[in-house]
Amino acid sequence: MTFPFDISATDGRARTGVLKTPRGDIRTPAFMPVGTAATVKALTVDQVKQTGADILLGNTYHLMLRPGPERMERLGGLHKFMGWDKPILTDSGGFQVMSLAGISKVKEEAVTFSSHIDGSKHVLSPERSIEIQADRIGADISMQLDECVAWPAEEPRARSGMELSARWAKRSKDAFGTRDTQALFGIQQGSTFENLRRESSDRLQEIGFDGYAIGGLAVGEGHQAMCEVLDYAPQMLPADRPRYLMGVGKPVDLVEAVWRGVDMFDCVLPTRAGRHGQAWTWDGPINLKNARFAEDQDPLAPEVPCPASTDYSRAYLHHLIRADEILGKILLSWHNIAFFQALTAAMRTAIAEGRFEAFRRDFHARHVSNG
Ligand SMILES: Nc1nc2c(CCNCC3CCCC3)c3[nH]c(NCCc4ccccc4)nc3cc2c(=O)[nH]1
């Protein structure tokens, strides 16, 4: 289903709008917290809701291994299983296979791999991935199966990955068919080669998708090289459909990508780095393990409307992280997700008011120079 995407304002290449789905509206620019194993680690769905998140990510790779696709369906699907009734987007699993599974093989027909949990053998074809995402997990937005080529890549290798992904895009679309309450996004590949990104974009548009992701980035190329690709890649994709930059990123990555026309983001950083003491604030990242916070009675981030950001002292958070207390992981994960939501909300407002350039400049001055 092509969910309505109403862009309410633009400012330069930046856009703000609403992607309307049967399970709820997604305000863009949007940050999507990652719920890998049917949970946003250390948080309840109520805490996630309180941060303002409109949509979560699920993980086909993890869920197909445990609890398994057929059991997930028998349990009523992921929304019911985890008690999240808003939209869920699932990745297709191929990227996670390459980064997490045991022995894996990529062939034209499918990706085969052994589970990192118990070594069992599994097959992920474009068709099987769609079946798991849309029919077993019940994702509102599914992603095509693709091949994300490692960076740096020579052009021939980048081309072969892009062409395989384009063939899998067609198979994914054919397997998905037409559905009136679910959507399918294609994924642009092509590494750092503008001509390959153009070909990928053209092939995806010939097939036609409800939204378009920019894949193959945040794979080690660094912020500068990623921005150089984003100087042209988002604009190759249809302006009237959502553009989703996969796996990104740090706050400064989000600001620079929104400035270049990206609408949706996902990243494990807020929760993963939070569990290790890292917190993002408007004045830049800090790590609560640092001794300088041992007697700092100030709250973490008074401007962020989240109990974790306003109701506890940095000294207490320092203590919890140093003691490896579960509550420390909970509070910092909660704050970081809330900060990313506050950041995207501030960007939506700045774009709507035509002052995104000023927002971007102030953000760099206050957040980046300190970070
Ligand atoms: N299908 C597909 N997925 C990609 C992903 C996974 C996005 N998150 C999925 C969620 C669903 C389940 C888990 C995640 C990516 N993640 C990154 N970088 C993450 C970099 C990073 C790594 C660790 C910490 C922070 C950042 N680049 C990505 C490229 C692709 C891609 O081309 N194709």
Side-chain angles (χ1 to χ4, degrees), residues 151 192 217-231 245 248-260 265 269 360 363-364 367-368:
W151 179 88
T192 56
L217 292 178
V219 287
E221 77 281 2
H223 179 79
Q224 174 70 30
M226 181 180 76
C227 287
E228 283 164 11
V229 173
L230 296 176
D231 282 343
L245 177 55
V248 174
K250 296 188 298 298
V252 68
D253 299 325
L254 268 65
V255 172
E256 290 306 300
V258 165
W259 192 71
R260 292 169 172 79
F265 302 88
L269 262 188
R360 177 178 177 235
F363 180 82
H364 275 269
H367 182 91
V368 181

Side-chain angles (χ1 to χ4, degrees), residues 173-222:
K173 177 76 183 293
D174 290 347
F176 188 81
T178 50
R179 297 165 184 248
D180 56 11
T181 61
Q182 293 170 299
L184 175 66
F185 281 19
I187 305 177
Q188 183 201 56
Q189 292 292 347
S191 188
T192 56
F193 301 95
E194 184 167 359
N195 57 321
L196 298 184
R197 289 263 171 198
R198 166 73 64 196
E199 278 188 51
S200 175
S201 169
D202 291 348
R203 292 171 73 160
L204 291 180
Q205 291 181 64
E206 272 164 46
I207 299 163
F209 287 92
D210 305 312
Y212 296 84
I214 296 169
L217 292 178
V219 287
E221 77 281 2

